[in-house]
Amino acid sequence: MKRFWAIALTSSLVVLAGCHSFKKENVEPPTPLDKKFVPTVKVERLWKSSIGDGAAESGVRMRPTVSDGVVYAASTDGKMAAFEAATGKRLWSKSIRQHGWFGWGDAKREDARFSGGPGASGDLVAIGTLDGHLYGINAKDGERRWAAEVSSEVITAPVIVGDLVVVRCNDGRVYGIDATTGERRWAYDQAVVPLLSLRGNGRLLVANGVVFMGTDAGKLTAIRLDNGEKLWEQTLATGEGRTEIDRLSDADGALVLDGSTIYGAAYHGQLTAIDGPSGRPLWNHGFSTFTSLDVHENAIYGVDDDSQVFAFDKSTGASIWKLADLKYRWLSGPAAQGKYVVVGDLDGHLHWIDGSDGKIVARERLSSKAIRAQPVVVGDTAYVEDVEGHIGAYRIATN
């Protein structure tokens, strides 16, 4: 069981600045960690650093991104930095400020807070804010190139594809923004956002000229990258139940693509495999989650809404194994790191799980703060950020 953080009351409607947002809190006590645990795999922390206040109390999942050997990270207090991925050396850092009344002074005021984490490609970094802005930033030195306005807060990382930045807002709209000028090329405005939903947008998946997204209404939607036209839509959750809470059906985790098959899941829904080109469902398996999935070789990894970790056969959806040792520790989404799976928990621990049998093989601690965002794995290294902006890079030792 979980309860959700409701945010403002206007007549009988729960809303916050035009968005519908909730935060999971513990009801069941977290499963205690085994104090006698002995790791069977050695994990090395390569470096540790920090960025501002991280996500602070915003409830968003701030996640770093890695591009061309550089880690980019941001915080909700308007700070952004670039780190050398191999060593953690800080390459640059910026603190975005805004002017006060009539453009006069007020240097201590912070700009509207960064949110969702940055997206990066080539020489461009893009990031949104909680007041509905999108910034294009020079990847080499952190200087701002352009700013664009969108319809509401941006709590997931933009995706940069060629000369286009694709960004999703919390009101369900998706925009295609020119990567050079910041001008709007198209807008998709057909999403239905329920009155009650979880606070979190799954990252957009862009492949083969198509933008795929999970919606707050439990749908998987495909739209054209060049003009934002909807191609098809499939249901991941039906939102059935007696109460508004029972009917929550958000598809808030990131979709994953393997070959031409897309895998997605939703809260109070199911894990579904869909043929990407046609939108035809291949199989589905009952599974409720609000975190992202990952796929490696023949398995799909997911964390259910009680923080149990699962592995499913990617061809059939059949369960391979389930790990209940971390139940109610409110895990991040899982990330495949070679033949292992890494997840973060509410106390800043990282747990590595054997992908073949679901046994925990290693444990490290980044900090004492919650890790809500799915780790980012590039090559043999996992990059992790907690809610207070601590960032760590971890590698599994080869000997």
Side-chain angles (χ1 to χ4, degrees):
M1 291 291 295
K2 291 164 291 298
R3 63 188 175 89
F4 297 87
W5 172 35
I7 30 231
L9 188 63
T10 61
S11 57
S12 61
L13 195 60
V14 179
V15 242
L16 173 65
C19 68
H20 319 293
S21 306
F22 301 88
K23 176 181 176 182
K24 168 185 58 53
E25 294 181 358
N26 294 330
V27 173
E28 299 289 344
T31 301
L33 297 180
D34 182 2
K35 294 182 179 180
K36 297 181 180 180
F37 171 75
V38 177
T40 56
V41 170
K42 183 180 179 181
V43 173
E44 302 172 326
R45 188 169 75 191
L46 304 180
W47 55 265
K48 181 179 178 181
S49 192
S50 63
I51 177 67
D53 292 336
E57 297 299 320
S58 66
V60 300
R61 301 168 190 158
M62 295 296 284
R63 187 173 188 253
T65 192
V66 184
S67 178
D68 296 331
V70 179
V71 178
Y72 301 95
S75 62
T76 56
D77 56 343
K79 296 180 174 62
M80 179 177 285
F83 306 88
E84 191 173 84
T87 66
K89 177 185 176 182
R90 193 177 296 254
L91 302 176
W92 55 258
S93 60
K94 294 290 182 179
S95 182
I96 305 299
R97 304 289 182 181
Q98 69 180 5
H99 294 295
W101 291 103
F102 307 110
W104 294 337
D106 203 4
K108 293 183 178 180
R109 285 186 65 190
E110 295 166 350
D111 189 27
R113 300 181 297 172
F114 287 143
S115 54
S121 179
D123 63 353
L124 181 66
V125 179
I127 189 165
T129 71
L130 289 173
D131 77 338
H133 286 87
L134 177 71
Y135 294 133
I137 295 169
N138 191 317
K140 299 299 182 183
D141 57 15
E143 293 296 324
R144 187 190 301 181
R145 292 183 179 176
W146 49 257
E149 288 192 17
V150 290
S151 55
S152 71
E153 61 180 343
V154 178
I155 59 175
T156 189
V159 179
I160 303 172
V161 184
D163 63 350
L164 201 66
V165 180
V166 187
V167 60
R168 175 183 177 178
C169 296
N170 204 41
D171 61 6
R173 292 180 174 90
V174 180
Y175 296 91
I177 305 294
D178 189 289
T180 302
T181 65
E183 295 180 356
R184 183 185 302 178
R185 290 197 192 169
W186 55 257
Y188 170 79
D189 185 17
Q190 300 180 42
V192 176
V193 180
L195 296 180
L196 198 63
S197 69
L198 304 178
R199 183 174 178 78
N201 285 336
R203 298 189 306 279
L204 296 173
L205 169 65
V206 183
N208 301 316
V210 181
V211 180
F212 302 95
M213 68 174 181
T215 75
D216 291 323
K219 308 288 186 181
L220 192 162
T221 302
I223 61 178
R224 287 180 51 163
L225 176 63
D226 59 349
N227 62 12
E229 176 187 343
K230 183 163 76 172
L231 298 173
W232 53 257
E233 189 171 79
Q234 285 291 343
T235 299
L236 299 177
T238 57
E240 298 177 349
R242 297 180 61 186
T243 70
E244 290 288 344
I245 297 296
D246 291 335
R247 290 191 290 272
L248 285 169
S249 58
D250 302 55
D252 273 337
L255 304 167
V256 291
L257 178 68
D258 185 70
S260 62
T261 303
I262 299 168
Y263 300 96
Y267 187 59
H268 290 159
Q270 54 195 6
L271 172 65
T272 304
I274 294 176
D275 178 68
S278 67
R280 178 175 59 89
L282 303 176
W283 54 256
N284 58 67
H285 184 101
F287 185 64
S288 177
T289 185
F290 41 78
T291 66
S292 298
L293 306 170
D294 205 357
V295 61
H296 181 67
E297 295 184 345
N298 71 326
I300 305 162
Y301 303 108
V303 172
D304 75 0
D305 53 13
D306 285 330
S307 282
Q308 299 176 108
V309 188
F310 286 78
F312 301 96
D313 187 286
K314 75 176 186 182
S315 299
T316 65
S319 179
I320 299 173
W321 52 256
K322 178 179 81 171
L323 172 66
D325 294 3
L326 304 175
K327 195 172 183 180
Y328 306 128
R329 296 195 65 82
W330 309 125
L331 305 178
S332 71
Q337 188 176 7
K339 63 180 181 179
Y340 303 102
V341 183
V342 57
V343 293
D345 74 10
L346 82 172
D347 290 326
H349 292 95
L350 291 159
H351 309 270
W352 279 264
I353 303 162
D354 192 312
S356 64
D357 59 13
K359 304 294 184 183
I360 299 175
V361 297
R363 179 179 298 136
E364 294 290 329
R365 196 169 195 183
L366 173 65
S367 69
S368 62
K369 305 302 178 182
I371 299 170
R372 295 197 185 107
Q374 184 182 32
V376 178
V377 176
V378 178
D380 61 357
T381 305
Y383 302 90
V384 185
E385 182 175 348
D386 73 10
V387 297
E388 289 199 354
H390 302 105
I391 302 171
Y394 295 86
R395 180 182 297 160
I396 297 170
T398 56
N399 50 28

